[in-house]
Amino acid sequence: MATILNKRDEVLAQLAADNKVFVMNSTEDLAGLFAIDQHMEEVNRDYQIKDRQSQLSAATVILTS
Amino acid sequence: MHIGGDIGHAVLTIGRERTTDNLIDSLQVTDETDPLIAGIIARKRIQFFDNDDIRKDFVFIDDNRPIYQLGKINAPAAHYPVARWHNCEITHFVVPLYSKVYLEAFRAKNLFKSILFNLFKVPDDSQIFIRFYLTSSRSFKHSLAINTTFDQPTKDILLETALPKFIWIAETSNKALIKAKMADGIFIFDATQGNTQTTNALIAASYNNEFVFFDENTKNFVRNILPLHSFSIFTNNLNGF
């Protein structure tokens, strides 16, 4: 019978057995994730403005030569 | 109207020169425009270098001129014989990407920086050189599988992680290390992820002895203590990076 090798699970199981795995739900981690979300909200807003301006500006381009 | 006057022209850019040690040495600290990231960099006194800031020559093709002309991106027509063309600048550009690449470079790179500085302990006074690129997961896994310098446990995890067709990769290094074409950290993002409001696009990241990935079982990000030593950077279709 064929044996399915899964090295990924083996490595992760070994890390868990060695107490080297931490679910990122501590206050510090959640604050970090929240900061990323907030930052990305700003980035997305900035991107949408630039994207729209780029489209409007590109619509006026005329190739002359 | 731009500084090129009334000239309206289109050229193809198909490549760029190799990155040399001199170009890396002369690279200045990046002028970070994002106030939040700039604040963190200043507070931690980090020297932050971006591979994209290197002033390389690009290869231009124009049907009016001999092919494969080298020129700076801010002076794409400097090699033209007529002087009035020399001031031409790029006002718009189109980058052909696979249609399912929903995570644009601008957002992906900002997400990477945000994750680097908010989820990882970046040492104060450190020097960081970043390299950011788009590749296919097949190409990445092929390169990773034959990379003998990559630590085996992290390699095993990444090779058996389900990846989308296209991924953004960020490699962290420093000036000395990158000249040896080595890096010490890697971040992988889903380039086909449309929801960029959150950290959803992060697939896995390894930096400063920590390996972070999204665990489908607990539906949480998980931090593993798993050192990653220096490894050879990905150069498959980016020869001369």
Side-chain angles (χ1 to χ4, degrees):
Chain A
M1 188 178 164
T3 308
I4 297 173
L5 294 175
N6 192 327
K7 289 187 180 175
R8 180 181 193 268
D9 288 352
E10 282 176 23
V11 172
L12 294 177
Q14 187 59 50
L15 285 170
D18 295 343
N19 290 326
K20 290 181 174 176
V21 180
F22 305 92
V23 175
M24 294 177 67
N25 56 6
S26 68
T27 313
E28 192 185 351
D29 287 330
L30 292 177
L33 290 167
F34 183 66
I36 295 168
D37 287 353
Q38 277 198 317
H39 179 225
M40 286 312 293
E41 210 172 299
E42 290 290 323
V43 169
N44 282 327
R45 200 171 295 130
D46 187 26
Y47 175 80
Q48 279 164 4
I49 293 168
K50 285 176 176 160
D51 184 40
R52 184 56 57 90
Q53 285 175 343
S54 171
Q55 287 177 28
L56 290 172
S57 150
T60 64
V61 171
I62 300 169
L63 298 182
T64 56
S65 45
Chain B
M1 186 67 75
H2 50 85
I3 60 171
D6 58 354
I7 296 172
H9 191 62
V11 293
L12 278 177
T13 310
I14 58 140
R16 75 280 180 277
E17 69 171 330
R18 286 176 182 274
T19 303
T20 62
D21 288 357
N22 284 342
L23 284 172
I24 294 169
D25 285 334
S26 59
L27 179 63
Q28 300 294 308
V29 171
T30 194
D31 182 17
E32 181 58 55
T33 52
D34 187 290
L36 197 136
I37 302 295
I40 296 173
I41 289 173
R43 197 167 59 248
K44 294 173 90 62
R45 299 175 304 280
I46 293 168
Q47 283 186 291
F48 199 73
F49 299 96
D50 189 340
N51 184 54
D52 296 337
D53 290 343
I54 295 179
R55 293 185 175 270
K56 299 172 194 156
D57 277 349
F58 284 78
V59 183
F60 293 96
I61 293 184
D62 187 343
D63 50 8
N64 296 329
R65 304 289 308 144
I67 58 170
Y68 308 134
Q69 296 294 315
L70 288 177
K72 298 287 181 212
I73 202 80
N74 56 352
H79 57 278
Y80 274 61
V82 183
R84 76 183 188 96
W85 281 71
H86 294 176
N87 283 335
C88 283
E89 59 180 358
I90 295 174
T91 55
H92 299 84
F93 62 90
V94 177
V95 181
L97 286 175
Y98 180 70
S99 59
K100 298 288 189 290
V101 175
Y102 296 122
L103 183 60
E104 301 86 357
F106 178 81
R107 294 201 261 204
K109 203 168 180 182
N110 273 292
L111 179 60
F112 154 62
K113 289 179 195 170
S114 201
I115 286 173
L116 172 66
F117 291 115
N118 284 304
L119 287 192
F120 290 90
K121 292 179 182 66
V122 181
D124 290 358
D125 301 300
S126 56
Q127 186 190 78
I128 301 174
F129 180 102
I130 64 160
R131 214 174 143 248
F132 197 77
Y133 53 87
L134 179 72
T135 187
S136 71
S137 53
R138 275 190 185 194
S139 179
F140 171 71
K141 283 192 175 180
H142 171 75
S143 141
L144 182 62
I146 58 174
N147 189 339
T148 54
T149 59
F150 210 95
D151 283 352
Q152 197 62 43
T154 312
K155 184 197 272 194
D156 286 340
I157 295 174
L158 292 179
L159 283 178
E160 291 184 22
T161 296
L163 296 179
K165 192 177 174 85
F166 288 97
I167 48 178
W168 287 105
I169 304 274
E171 289 169 344
T172 60
S173 184
N174 57 52
K175 275 194 172 185
L177 207 53
I178 201 68
K179 282 194 271 189
K181 295 193 175 179
M182 304 283 280
D184 55 10
I186 188 165
F187 294 69
I188 304 171
F189 299 92
D190 180 356
T192 63
Q193 173 60 254
N195 180 2
T196 52
Q197 288 292 114
T198 63
T199 44
N200 285 4
L202 177 66
I203 296 170
S206 183
Y207 179 78
N208 200 11
N209 296 332
E210 291 182 338
F211 180 81
V212 169
F213 72 99
F214 187 77
D215 184 15
E216 287 295 337
N217 299 323
T218 60
K219 299 291 178 200
N220 266 311
F221 279 102
V222 173
R223 190 190 301 276
N224 300 269
I225 307 302
L226 184 60
L228 179 66
H229 298 99
S230 306
F231 59 90
S232 296
I233 57 173
F234 175 93
T235 53
N236 257 24
N237 57 341
L238 303 165
N239 272 333
F241 79 96

